[in-house]
Amino acid sequence: MNSNFKDYNEVSDILKALAHPVRLCIVRGLLDKGKCNVSHMQACLDLPQSTVSQHLQKLRSMGIVETDRNGLEVNYSIADIRVKKLVYIFFGEEIENE
């Protein structure tokens, strides 16, 4: 066993962030779509934009998603390949070629 808990803490924090159903839905949606803006997510999830933005902020602070600004529009995509693999495993889906 390795007692370097720093590594375990990072993974544990990522798993905690993914443990929320809305955040997991956002991540899976981003995997399906590739990239997406908050307005599109808000319409799909039928949640207030502020709620979606709070969940995205949590995912972004954990390094799970990243942003790409195009003028006023901000698109989100998955930043952590480990999360991509993990979500595909959870849902029993094939991992696409990278």
Side-chain angles (χ1 to χ4, degrees):
M1 286 192 186
N2 181 356
S3 64
N4 182 0
F5 291 112
K6 181 178 182 253
D7 294 339
Y8 292 108
N9 284 334
E10 177 193 2
V11 173
S12 175
D13 288 342
I14 290 171
L15 291 171
K16 286 177 200 173
L18 291 174
H20 193 284
V22 172
R23 290 193 287 267
L24 187 57
C25 184
I26 288 170
V27 168
R28 187 158 184 217
L30 287 173
L31 288 173
D32 291 343
K33 192 155 175 65
K35 63 181 181 176
C36 189
N37 65 31
V38 176
S39 297
H40 179 79
M41 288 183 231
Q42 183 257 328
C44 290
L45 294 168
D46 196 29
L47 292 171
Q49 186 172 340
S50 61
T51 301
V52 176
S53 293
Q54 288 174 353
H55 286 296
L56 284 167
Q57 181 55 40
K58 176 68 173 180
L59 293 170
R60 190 173 179 200
S61 71
M62 295 304 307
I64 295 171
V65 300
E66 61 189 357
T67 59
D68 178 38
R69 182 175 290 277
N70 184 10
L72 295 176
E73 185 176 83
V74 177
N75 286 300
Y76 290 84
S77 60
I78 301 299
D80 191 330
I81 190 68
R82 298 173 301 174
V83 170
K84 180 178 183 177
K85 291 177 180 180
L86 186 61
V87 171
Y88 279 134
I89 289 168
F90 281 152
F91 288 99
E93 298 170 355
E94 293 290 319
I95 298 175
E96 299 172 3
N97 293 337
E98 294 162 31

Coordinates of all heavy atoms in Angstrom, one line a residue:
M1 N 0.8 -1.2 0.0 CA 0.0 0.0 0.0 C 0.9 1.2 0.0 O 1.9 1.3 0.6 CB -0.9 0.0 1.2 CG -2.0 -0.9 1.2 SD -3.2 -0.6 2.5 CE -4.2 -2.0 2.2
N2 N 0.3 2.3 -0.6 CA 1.0 3.5 -0.7 C 0.4 4.5 0.2 O -0.8 4.8 0.1 CB 1.0 4.0 -2.2 CG 1.7 5.4 -2.4 OD1 2.2 6.0 -1.4 ND2 1.8 5.8 -3.6
S3 N 1.1 5.1 1.1 CA 0.5 6.1 2.1 C 0.6 7.5 1.6 O 0.4 8.4 2.4 CB 1.2 5.9 3.4 OG 2.6 6.3 3.3
N4 N 0.8 7.7 0.3 CA 0.8 9.1 -0.3 C -0.7 9.5 -0.5 O -1.2 9.3 -1.6 CB 1.6 9.1 -1.6 CG 1.6 10.5 -2.1 OD1 1.1 11.5 -1.6 ND2 2.3 10.7 -3.3
F5 N -1.3 10.1 0.5 CA -2.7 10.4 0.5 C -3.0 11.5 -0.4 O -4.2 11.7 -0.8 CB -3.2 10.6 1.9 CG -3.3 9.4 2.7 CD1 -2.4 9.2 3.8 CD2 -4.1 8.3 2.4 CE1 -2.4 8.1 4.6 CE2 -4.1 7.2 3.2 CZ -3.3 7.0 4.2
K6 N -2.0 12.3 -0.9 CA -2.3 13.4 -1.8 C -2.9 12.8 -3.1 O -3.9 13.4 -3.6 CB -1.0 14.1 -2.1 CG -1.2 15.3 -3.1 CD 0.1 16.0 -3.3 CE -0.1 17.2 -4.2 NZ 0.3 17.0 -5.6
D7 N -2.4 11.7 -3.6 CA -3.0 11.1 -4.8 C -4.4 10.6 -4.5 O -5.3 10.8 -5.4 CB -2.1 9.9 -5.3 CG -0.7 10.4 -5.7 OD1 -0.6 11.6 -6.1 OD2 0.2 9.6 -5.7
Y8 N -4.6 10.0 -3.4 CA -5.9 9.5 -3.1 C -6.9 10.6 -2.9 O -8.1 10.5 -3.3 CB -5.9 8.6 -1.8 CG -5.1 7.4 -2.0 CD1 -3.9 7.2 -1.4 CD2 -5.7 6.3 -2.8 CE1 -3.2 6.0 -1.6 CE2 -5.0 5.1 -2.9 CZ -3.7 5.0 -2.4 OH -3.0 3.8 -2.6
N9 N -6.5 11.7 -2.3 CA -7.4 12.9 -2.1 C -7.8 13.5 -3.4 O -9.0 13.8 -3.5 CB -6.7 14.0 -1.3 CG -6.6 13.6 0.2 OD1 -7.4 12.9 0.7 ND2 -5.6 14.2 0.9
E10 N -6.9 13.6 -4.4 CA -7.3 14.1 -5.7 C -8.4 13.3 -6.3 O -9.4 13.7 -6.8 CB -6.1 14.2 -6.6 CG -6.5 14.7 -8.0 CD -5.4 14.6 -9.0 OE1 -4.3 14.0 -8.7 OE2 -5.6 15.0 -10.2
V11 N -8.1 12.0 -6.4 CA -9.1 11.0 -7.0 C -10.4 11.0 -6.2 O -11.5 11.1 -6.8 CB -8.5 9.6 -7.1 CG1 -9.6 8.6 -7.6 CG2 -7.3 9.6 -8.0
S12 N -10.3 11.1 -4.9 CA -11.5 11.1 -4.1 C -12.4 12.3 -4.4 O -13.6 12.3 -4.5 CB -11.1 11.0 -2.6 OG -12.3 11.2 -1.8
D13 N -11.7 13.5 -4.5 CA -12.4 14.7 -4.8 C -13.1 14.7 -6.2 O -14.2 15.2 -6.3 CB -11.5 15.9 -4.7 CG -11.1 16.3 -3.3 OD1 -11.7 15.8 -2.3 OD2 -10.0 17.0 -3.1
I14 N -12.5 14.1 -7.1 CA -13.1 14.0 -8.5 C -14.3 13.1 -8.4 O -15.4 13.4 -8.9 CB -12.0 13.4 -9.5 CG1 -11.0 14.5 -9.8 CG2 -12.7 13.0 -10.8 CD1 -9.8 14.0 -10.6
L15 N -14.2 12.0 -7.7 CA -15.3 11.0 -7.5 C -16.5 11.7 -6.8 O -17.6 11.5 -7.1 CB -14.9 9.8 -6.8 CG -14.0 8.8 -7.6 CD1 -13.5 7.7 -6.7 CD2 -14.7 8.3 -8.8
K16 N -16.2 12.6 -5.8 CA -17.2 13.3 -5.1 C -17.9 14.3 -6.0 O -19.2 14.4 -5.9 CB -16.6 14.1 -3.9 CG -16.2 13.2 -2.7 CD -15.6 14.1 -1.7 CE -14.7 13.3 -0.7 NZ -14.0 14.1 0.2
A17 N -17.2 14.9 -6.9 CA -17.8 15.9 -7.8 C -18.7 15.2 -8.8 O -19.8 15.7 -9.1 CB -16.7 16.6 -8.6
L18 N -18.3 14.0 -9.2 CA -19.1 13.2 -10.1 C -20.3 12.5 -9.5 O -21.2 12.1 -10.1 CB -18.3 12.1 -10.8 CG -17.2 12.6 -11.8 CD1 -16.4 11.5 -12.3 CD2 -17.8 13.4 -13.0
A19 N -20.3 12.4 -8.1 CA -21.3 11.7 -7.4 C -22.7 12.4 -7.4 O -23.7 11.8 -7.1 CB -20.9 11.5 -6.0
H20 N -22.7 13.7 -7.8 CA -24.0 14.4 -7.9 C -24.7 14.1 -9.2 O -24.1 14.2 -10.3 CB -23.8 15.9 -7.8 CG -25.0 16.7 -7.5 ND1 -25.9 16.9 -8.5 CD2 -25.5 17.2 -6.4 CE1 -26.9 17.6 -8.0 NE2 -26.7 17.8 -6.7
P21 N -26.0 13.7 -9.2 CA -26.6 13.3 -10.4 C -26.6 14.4 -11.5 O -26.5 14.1 -12.7 CB -28.1 13.0 -10.0 CG -28.1 13.1 -8.5 CD -26.8 13.6 -8.0
V22 N -26.8 15.7 -11.2 CA -26.8 16.7 -12.2 C -25.4 16.8 -12.8 O -25.3 16.9 -14.0 CB -27.3 18.1 -11.6 CG1 -27.1 19.2 -12.6 CG2 -28.7 18.0 -11.2
R23 N -24.4 16.8 -12.0 CA -23.0 16.9 -12.6 C -22.7 15.7 -13.4 O -22.1 15.9 -14.5 CB -22.0 17.1 -11.4 CG -22.1 18.5 -10.8 CD -20.9 18.8 -9.9 NE -20.9 18.1 -8.7 CZ -21.4 18.5 -7.5 NH1 -22.0 19.7 -7.5 NH2 -21.3 17.8 -6.4
L24 N -23.1 14.5 -13.0 CA -22.9 13.3 -13.8 C -23.6 13.4 -15.1 O -23.1 13.1 -16.2 CB -23.3 12.1 -13.0 CG -22.9 10.8 -13.6 CD1 -21.4 10.6 -13.9 CD2 -23.4 9.6 -12.7
C25 N -24.8 14.0 -15.1 CA -25.6 14.2 -16.3 C -24.9 15.2 -17.3 O -24.8 15.0 -18.5 CB -27.0 14.6 -16.0 SG -28.1 14.8 -17.4
I26 N -24.4 16.2 -16.7 CA -23.7 17.2 -17.5 C -22.4 16.6 -18.1 O -22.2 16.8 -19.3 CB -23.2 18.4 -16.6 CG1 -24.5 19.3 -16.2 CG2 -22.2 19.3 -17.3 CD1 -24.2 20.3 -15.2
V27 N -21.7 15.8 -17.4 CA -20.5 15.2 -17.9 C -20.8 14.2 -19.0 O -20.2 14.2 -20.1 CB -19.7 14.5 -16.8 CG1 -18.6 13.6 -17.4 CG2 -19.1 15.5 -15.9
R28 N -21.8 13.4 -18.8 CA -22.2 12.5 -19.8 C -22.7 13.2 -21.1 O -22.5 12.8 -22.2 CB -23.3 11.5 -19.3 CG -23.6 10.4 -20.3 CD -24.2 9.3 -19.7 NE -24.4 8.2 -20.6 CZ -25.4 7.4 -20.7 NH1 -26.4 7.5 -19.8 NH2 -25.5 6.5 -21.6
G29 N -23.5 14.3 -20.9 CA -24.0 15.1 -22.0 C -22.8 15.7 -22.8 O -22.8 15.7 -24.1
L30 N -21.8 16.1 -22.1 CA -20.6 16.7 -22.8 C -19.9 15.6 -23.5 O -19.3 15.9 -24.6 CB -19.7 17.4 -21.8 CG -20.2 18.7 -21.3 CD1 -19.3 19.3 -20.2 CD2 -20.3 19.8 -22.4
L31 N -19.8 14.4 -23.0 CA -19.2 13.3 -23.7 C -19.9 13.0 -25.0 O -19.3 12.7 -26.0 CB -19.1 12.1 -22.8 CG -18.1 12.2 -21.7 CD1 -18.2 11.0 -20.7 CD2 -16.7 12.3 -22.2
D32 N -21.2 13.0 -24.9 CA -22.1 12.7 -26.1 C -21.9 13.8 -27.2 O -21.8 13.6 -28.4 CB -23.5 12.5 -25.7 CG -23.8 11.3 -24.9 OD1 -22.9 10.4 -24.9 OD2 -24.9 11.2 -24.3
K33 N -22.0 15.1 -26.7 CA -22.0 16.2 -27.6 C -20.7 16.8 -28.0 O -20.5 17.4 -29.1 CB -22.9 17.3 -27.0 CG -23.2 18.4 -28.0 CD -24.5 19.1 -27.5 CE -24.8 20.3 -28.4 NZ -25.2 20.0 -29.7
G34 N -19.7 16.6 -27.2 CA -18.3 17.1 -27.4 C -18.1 18.4 -26.7 O -17.2 18.5 -25.9
K35 N -18.9 19.4 -27.0 CA -18.8 20.7 -26.3 C -20.2 21.3 -26.4 O -21.0 21.0 -27.2 CB -17.8 21.6 -26.9 CG -18.0 22.0 -28.3 CD -16.8 22.9 -28.7 CE -17.1 23.4 -30.2 NZ -16.0 24.3 -30.6
C36 N -20.4 22.2 -25.4 CA -21.8 22.7 -25.2 C -21.7 24.0 -24.4 O -20.8 24.1 -23.6 CB -22.6 21.7 -24.6 SG -24.4 22.0 -24.5
N37 N -22.7 24.9 -24.6 CA -22.8 26.1 -23.8 C -23.8 25.9 -22.7 O -24.6 25.0 -22.7 CB -23.0 27.4 -24.6 CG -24.3 27.4 -25.3 OD1 -25.3 26.8 -24.8 ND2 -24.4 28.0 -26.4
V38 N -23.8 26.8 -21.7 CA -24.7 26.8 -20.6 C -26.2 26.8 -21.0 O -27.0 26.1 -20.4 CB -24.4 27.9 -19.5 CG1 -25.4 27.9 -18.4 CG2 -23.0 27.8 -19.0
S39 N -26.5 27.7 -21.9 CA -27.9 27.8 -22.3 C -28.5 26.5 -22.9 O -29.6 26.1 -22.6 CB -28.0 28.9 -23.4 OG -27.6 30.1 -22.9
H40 N -27.7 25.8 -23.7 CA -28.1 24.5 -24.2 C -28.3 23.5 -23.1 O -29.3 22.8 -23.0 CB -27.1 24.0 -25.2 CG -27.5 22.6 -25.8 ND1 -28.4 22.5 -26.8 CD2 -27.1 21.4 -25.5 CE1 -28.6 21.2 -27.0 NE2 -27.8 20.5 -26.3
M41 N -27.3 23.5 -22.1 CA -27.4 22.5 -21.0 C -28.7 22.9 -20.1 O -29.4 22.0 -19.7 CB -26.2 22.6 -20.1 CG -25.0 22.0 -20.7 SD -23.6 22.1 -19.6 CE -22.4 22.8 -20.6
Q42 N -28.9 24.1 -19.9 CA -30.0 24.6 -19.1 C -31.3 24.1 -19.7 O -32.2 23.6 -19.0 CB -29.9 26.1 -18.9 CG -31.0 26.7 -18.0 CD -32.1 27.3 -18.8 OE1 -31.9 27.9 -19.9 NE2 -33.3 27.3 -18.3
A43 N -31.4 24.2 -21.0 CA -32.7 23.8 -21.7 C -32.9 22.3 -21.6 O -34.0 21.8 -21.4 CB -32.7 24.3 -23.1
C44 N -31.8 21.6 -21.8 CA -31.8 20.1 -21.7 C -32.2 19.6 -20.3 O -32.9 18.6 -20.2 CB -30.5 19.5 -22.2 SG -30.2 19.7 -23.9
L45 N -31.6 20.2 -19.3 CA -31.7 19.7 -17.9 C -33.0 20.3 -17.3 O -33.4 19.8 -16.3 CB -30.5 20.2 -17.1 CG -29.2 19.5 -17.5 CD1 -28.1 20.2 -16.7 CD2 -29.2 18.0 -17.1
D46 N -33.6 21.3 -17.9 CA -34.8 22.0 -17.3 C -34.5 22.5 -15.9 O -35.3 22.3 -15.0 CB -36.0 21.0 -17.4 CG -37.3 21.8 -17.2 OD1 -37.4 23.0 -17.5 OD2 -38.3 21.2 -16.6
L47 N -33.4 23.1 -15.8 CA -33.0 23.7 -14.5 C -32.6 25.2 -14.7 O -32.3 25.6 -15.8 CB -31.7 23.0 -13.9 CG -31.9 21.6 -13.5 CD1 -30.5 21.0 -13.2 CD2 -32.8 21.5 -12.3
P48 N -32.7 26.0 -13.7 CA -32.3 27.4 -13.9 C -30.8 27.5 -14.3 O -30.0 26.7 -13.9 CB -32.5 28.0 -12.5 CG -33.4 27.1 -11.7 CD -33.2 25.7 -12.3
Q49 N -30.5 28.5 -15.1 CA -29.2 28.7 -15.6 C -28.2 28.8 -14.4 O -27.1 28.4 -14.5 CB -29.1 29.9 -16.5 CG -27.7 30.0 -17.1 CD -27.6 31.1 -18.2 OE1 -28.7 31.5 -18.7 NE2 -26.5 31.6 -18.5
S50 N -28.6 29.5 -13.3 CA -27.7 29.7 -12.2 C -27.3 28.4 -11.6 O -26.2 28.2 -11.1 CB -28.3 30.6 -11.1 OG -29.5 30.1 -10.7
T51 N -28.2 27.4 -11.5 CA -28.0 26.1 -10.9 C -27.0 25.4 -11.8 O -26.0 24.8 -11.3 CB -29.3 25.3 -10.8 OG1 -30.2 26.0 -10.0 CG2 -29.0 23.9 -10.3
V52 N -27.2 25.4 -13.1 CA -26.3 24.7 -14.1 C -24.9 25.3 -14.0 O -23.9 24.6 -13.9 CB -26.8 24.8 -15.5 CG1 -25.8 24.2 -16.5 CG2 -28.2 24.1 -15.6
S53 N -24.8 26.7 -13.9 CA -23.6 27.4 -13.8 C -22.8 27.0 -12.5 O -21.6 26.8 -12.5 CB -23.8 28.9 -13.8 OG -24.2 29.3 -15.1
Q54 N -23.5 26.8 -11.4 CA -22.9 26.4 -10.2 C -22.3 25.0 -10.3 O -21.1 24.8 -9.8 CB -23.9 26.4 -9.0 CG -24.2 27.8 -8.6 CD -25.3 27.8 -7.5 OE1 -25.9 26.8 -7.2 NE2 -25.6 29.0 -7.0
H55 N -23.0 24.1 -10.9 CA -22.5 22.7 -11.1 C -21.3 22.8 -12.0 O -20.3 22.1 -11.8 CB -23.6 21.8 -11.6 CG -24.6 21.4 -10.6 ND1 -24.2 20.7 -9.5 CD2 -25.9 21.7 -10.5 CE1 -25.3 20.5 -8.8 NE2 -26.3 21.1 -9.4
L56 N -21.3 23.6 -13.1 CA -20.2 23.7 -14.0 C -19.0 24.3 -13.3 O -17.9 23.9 -13.6 CB -20.6 24.6 -15.2 CG -21.5 23.8 -16.2 CD1 -22.1 24.9 -17.2 CD2 -20.7 22.8 -17.0
Q57 N -19.2 25.2 -12.4 CA -18.1 25.8 -11.7 C -17.4 24.8 -10.9 O -16.1 24.7 -10.8 CB -18.5 27.0 -10.8 CG -17.4 27.7 -10.1 CD -16.3 28.1 -11.0 OE1 -16.5 28.6 -12.0 NE2 -15.0 27.9 -10.5
K58 N -18.2 23.9 -10.2 CA -17.6 22.8 -9.4 C -16.8 21.9 -10.3 O -15.6 21.5 -10.0 CB -18.7 22.1 -8.7 CG -18.2 20.9 -7.9 CD -17.4 21.3 -6.7 CE -17.1 20.0 -5.9 NZ -16.3 20.4 -4.7
L59 N -17.3 21.5 -11.4 CA -16.6 20.6 -12.4 C -15.4 21.3 -12.9 O -14.3 20.6 -13.1 CB -17.5 20.2 -13.5 CG -18.7 19.3 -13.1 CD1 -19.7 19.2 -14.3 CD2 -18.3 18.0 -12.7
R60 N -15.4 22.6 -13.2 CA -14.3 23.3 -13.7 C -13.2 23.4 -12.6 O -12.0 23.3 -12.9 CB -14.7 24.7 -14.2 CG -13.7 25.4 -14.9 CD -14.2 26.7 -15.5 NE -13.2 27.4 -16.2 CZ -13.2 28.7 -16.5 NH1 -14.2 29.4 -16.2 NH2 -12.2 29.2 -17.2
S61 N -13.6 23.7 -11.4 CA -12.6 23.8 -10.3 C -11.9 22.5 -10.0 O -10.7 22.5 -9.6 CB -13.2 24.4 -9.0 OG -14.0 23.4 -8.4
M62 N -12.5 21.4 -10.4 CA -11.9 20.1 -10.2 C -11.1 19.7 -11.4 O -10.5 18.6 -11.4 CB -13.0 19.0 -9.9 CG -13.7 19.2 -8.6 SD -12.7 19.3 -7.2 CE -11.7 17.8 -7.3
G63 N -11.1 20.5 -12.5 CA -10.4 20.1 -13.7 C -11.1 19.1 -14.5 O -10.4 18.5 -15.4
I64 N -12.3 18.9 -14.3 CA -13.1 17.9 -15.0 C -13.5 18.4 -16.4 O -13.5 17.7 -17.4 CB -14.3 17.4 -14.2 CG1 -13.8 16.6 -12.9 CG2 -15.2 16.5 -15.0 CD1 -14.9 16.3 -11.9
V65 N -13.9 19.7 -16.4 CA -14.3 20.4 -17.6 C -13.4 21.6 -17.8 O -12.8 22.1 -16.9 CB -15.8 20.8 -17.7 CG1 -16.7 19.6 -17.5 CG2 -16.1 21.9 -16.6
E66 N -13.3 22.0 -19.1 CA -12.6 23.2 -19.5 C -13.5 24.0 -20.4 O -14.5 23.6 -20.9 CB -11.3 22.8 -20.2 CG -11.5 22.1 -21.5 CD -10.2 21.5 -22.1 OE1 -9.1 21.8 -21.5 OE2 -10.2 20.8 -23.1
T67 N -13.1 25.3 -20.5 CA -13.9 26.2 -21.3 C -13.2 26.7 -22.6 O -11.9 26.7 -22.6 CB -14.3 27.5 -20.5 OG1 -13.1 28.1 -20.1 CG2 -15.2 27.1 -19.3
D68 N -13.9 27.0 -23.5 CA -13.4 27.6 -24.8 C -14.3 28.8 -25.1 O -15.5 28.6 -25.4 CB -13.4 26.5 -25.9 CG -12.9 27.1 -27.2 OD1 -12.0 27.9 -27.2 OD2 -13.5 26.7 -28.3
R69 N -13.8 30.0 -25.1 CA -14.6 31.2 -25.4 C -14.5 31.5 -26.9 O -13.5 31.5 -27.5 CB -14.0 32.3 -24.6 CG -14.9 33.6 -24.8 CD -14.4 34.7 -23.9 NE -14.7 34.5 -22.5 CZ -15.8 34.7 -21.9 NH1 -16.8 35.2 -22.6 NH2 -16.0 34.5 -20.6
N70 N -15.7 31.8 -27.4 CA -15.9 32.2 -28.8 C -16.8 33.4 -28.8 O -18.0 33.3 -28.8 CB -16.5 31.0 -29.6 CG -16.6 31.4 -31.1 OD1 -16.0 32.4 -31.5 ND2 -17.3 30.6 -31.8
G71 N -16.1 34.6 -28.7 CA -16.9 35.8 -28.5 C -17.5 35.8 -27.2 O -16.9 35.7 -26.2
L72 N -18.8 36.0 -27.1 CA -19.6 36.0 -25.9 C -19.9 34.6 -25.4 O -20.3 34.4 -24.2 CB -20.8 36.9 -26.0 CG -20.6 38.3 -26.2 CD1 -21.9 39.1 -26.4 CD2 -19.8 39.0 -25.1
E73 N -19.9 33.6 -26.3 CA -20.3 32.3 -26.0 C -19.1 31.5 -25.3 O -18.0 31.5 -25.8 CB -20.7 31.6 -27.2 CG -21.3 30.2 -27.0 CD -21.8 29.6 -28.2 OE1 -21.0 29.0 -29.0 OE2 -23.1 29.7 -28.4
V74 N -19.4 30.8 -24.3 CA -18.5 29.9 -23.6 C -18.9 28.5 -23.7 O -20.0 28.2 -23.3 CB -18.3 30.3 -22.1 CG1 -17.4 29.4 -21.4 CG2 -17.9 31.7 -21.9
N75 N -18.1 27.7 -24.3 CA -18.4 26.3 -24.5 C -17.6 25.4 -23.5 O -16.4 25.7 -23.3 CB -18.1 25.8 -25.9 CG -19.2 26.3 -26.9 OD1 -20.4 26.0 -26.8 ND2 -18.7 27.1 -27.9
Y76 N -18.2 24.4 -23.0 CA -17.6 23.5 -22.1 C -17.3 22.2 -22.7 O -18.1 21.7 -23.6 CB -18.5 23.3 -20.8 CG -18.6 24.5 -20.0 CD1 -19.6 25.5 -20.3 CD2 -17.8 24.7 -18.9 CE1 -19.7 26.6 -19.5 CE2 -18.0 25.8 -18.1 CZ -18.9 26.8 -18.4 OH -19.0 27.9 -17.6
S77 N -16.2 21.5 -22.3 CA -15.9 20.2 -22.8 C -15.2 19.5 -21.7 O -14.7 20.1 -20.7 CB -15.0 20.3 -24.1 OG -13.8 21.0 -23.8
I78 N -15.0 18.2 -21.8 CA -14.3 17.4 -20.8 C -12.8 17.6 -21.0 O -12.3 17.5 -22.0 CB -14.7 15.9 -21.0 CG1 -16.2 15.7 -20.9 CG2 -13.9 15.0 -20.0 CD1 -16.8 16.1 -19.6
A79 N -12.2 17.8 -19.8 CA -10.8 18.1 -19.8 C -9.9 16.9 -19.3 O -8.8 16.8 -19.6 CB -10.5 19.3 -18.9
D80 N -10.6 16.1 -18.5 CA -9.8 15.0 -17.9 C -10.2 13.6 -18.5 O -11.3 13.2 -18.4 CB -10.1 15.0 -16.4 CG -9.2 14.1 -15.5 OD1 -8.8 13.0 -16.1 OD2 -9.0 14.4 -14.4
I81 N -9.2 13.0 -19.2 CA -9.5 11.8 -19.9 C -9.9 10.7 -18.9 O -10.6 9.8 -19.3 CB -8.2 11.4 -20.7 CG1 -8.5 10.2 -21.6 CG2 -7.0 11.1 -19.9 CD1 -9.5 10.5 -22.7
R82 N -9.4 10.7 -17.7 CA -9.7 9.7 -16.7 C -11.3 9.7 -16.4 O -11.9 8.7 -16.3 CB -9.0 9.9 -15.4 CG -7.5 9.9 -15.5 CD -6.9 10.3 -14.2 NE -7.2 11.6 -13.8 CZ -6.9 12.2 -12.7 NH1 -6.2 11.6 -11.8 NH2 -7.3 13.4 -12.4
V83 N -11.8 10.9 -16.4 CA -13.3 11.1 -16.2 C -14.0 10.5 -17.4 O -15.0 9.8 -17.2 CB -13.6 12.5 -15.9 CG1 -15.1 12.7 -16.0 CG2 -13.1 13.0 -14.6
K84 N -13.5 10.8 -18.6 CA -14.2 10.2 -19.8 C -14.2 8.7 -19.7 O -15.3 8.1 -19.9 CB -13.4 10.7 -21.0 CG -13.9 10.2 -22.3 CD -13.1 10.7 -23.5 CE -13.7 10.3 -24.8 NZ -13.0 10.9 -25.9
K85 N -13.1 8.1 -19.4 CA -13.0 6.6 -19.3 C -13.9 6.1 -18.2 O -14.6 5.1 -18.4 CB -11.6 6.2 -19.1 CG -10.7 6.4 -20.3 CD -9.2 6.0 -19.9 CE -8.3 6.3 -21.1 NZ -6.9 5.9 -20.8
L86 N -13.9 6.7 -17.1 CA -14.7 6.3 -15.9 C -16.2 6.3 -16.2 O -16.9 5.4 -15.9 CB -14.4 7.2 -14.7 CG -15.0 6.8 -13.4 CD1 -14.5 5.4 -13.0 CD2 -14.6 7.8 -12.3
V87 N -16.7 7.4 -16.8 CA -18.1 7.5 -17.1 C -18.5 6.5 -18.1 O -19.6 5.9 -18.0 CB -18.4 9.0 -17.6 CG1 -19.9 9.1 -18.1 CG2 -18.3 10.0 -16.4
Y88 N -17.7 6.3 -19.2 CA -18.0 5.2 -20.1 C -18.1 3.9 -19.5 O -19.0 3.1 -19.8 CB -17.0 5.2 -21.3 CG -17.2 6.3 -22.3 CD1 -16.2 7.0 -22.8 CD2 -18.5 6.5 -22.9 CE1 -16.4 8.0 -23.8 CE2 -18.7 7.4 -23.9 CZ -17.6 8.2 -24.3 OH -17.9 9.1 -25.3
I89 N -17.2 3.6 -18.5 CA -17.3 2.3 -17.8 C -18.6 2.2 -17.0 O -19.2 1.2 -17.0 CB -16.0 2.1 -16.9 CG1 -14.8 1.9 -17.8 CG2 -16.2 1.0 -15.9 CD1 -13.5 2.0 -17.1
F90 N -18.9 3.3 -16.2 CA -20.1 3.3 -15.4 C -21.4 3.0 -16.2 O -22.3 2.3 -15.8 CB -20.3 4.6 -14.7 CG -19.4 4.8 -13.5 CD1 -19.0 6.0 -13.1 CD2 -19.0 3.7 -12.7 CE1 -18.3 6.2 -11.9 CE2 -18.2 3.9 -11.6 CZ -17.9 5.1 -11.2
F91 N -21.4 3.5 -17.4 CA -22.6 3.4 -18.2 C -22.5 2.2 -19.2 O -23.4 2.1 -20.1 CB -23.0 4.7 -18.9 CG -23.5 5.7 -18.0 CD1 -22.7 6.7 -17.5 CD2 -24.8 5.7 -17.6 CE1 -23.2 7.7 -16.6 CE2 -25.4 6.6 -16.7 CZ -24.5 7.6 -16.2
G92 N -21.4 1.5 -19.1 CA -21.3 0.3 -20.0 C -21.2 0.6 -21.5 O -21.7 -0.2 -22.3
E93 N -20.5 1.7 -21.8 CA -20.4 2.1 -23.2 C -19.0 1.9 -23.7 O -18.0 1.9 -22.9 CB -20.8 3.6 -23.3 CG -22.2 3.9 -22.9 CD -22.5 5.3 -22.8 OE1 -21.6 6.2 -22.9 OE2 -23.7 5.6 -22.5
E94 N -18.9 1.8 -25.0 CA -17.5 1.7 -25.6 C -16.8 3.0 -25.5 O -17.4 4.0 -25.8 CB -17.7 1.2 -27.0 CG -18.2 -0.2 -27.2 CD -17.2 -1.2 -26.7 OE1 -16.0 -1.1 -27.0 OE2 -17.6 -2.2 -26.1
I95 N -15.5 3.0 -25.3 CA -14.7 4.2 -25.3 C -14.3 4.5 -26.7 O -13.8 3.6 -27.4 CB -13.5 4.0 -24.4 CG1 -13.9 3.8 -22.9 CG2 -12.6 5.3 -24.5 CD1 -12.8 3.6 -22.0
E96 N -14.6 5.7 -27.2 CA -14.3 6.1 -28.5 C -12.8 6.2 -28.7 O -12.1 6.4 -27.7 CB -15.0 7.4 -28.9 CG -16.5 7.3 -28.8 CD -17.1 8.7 -28.9 OE1 -16.4 9.7 -29.1 OE2 -18.3 8.8 -28.8
N97 N -12.3 6.1 -29.9 CA -10.9 6.3 -30.1 C -10.5 7.7 -29.8 O -11.3 8.6 -30.0 CB -10.5 6.0 -31.6 CG -10.7 4.6 -32.0 OD1 -10.6 3.7 -31.1 ND2 -10.9 4.3 -33.2
E98 N -9.3 7.9 -29.2 CA -8.9 9.2 -28.8 C -8.0 9.9 -29.7 O -7.3 9.5 -30.4 CB -8.2 9.1 -27.4 CG -9.3 8.6 -26.5 CD -8.9 8.0 -25.2 OE1 -7.9 8.3 -24.7 OE2 -9.7 7.1 -24.8

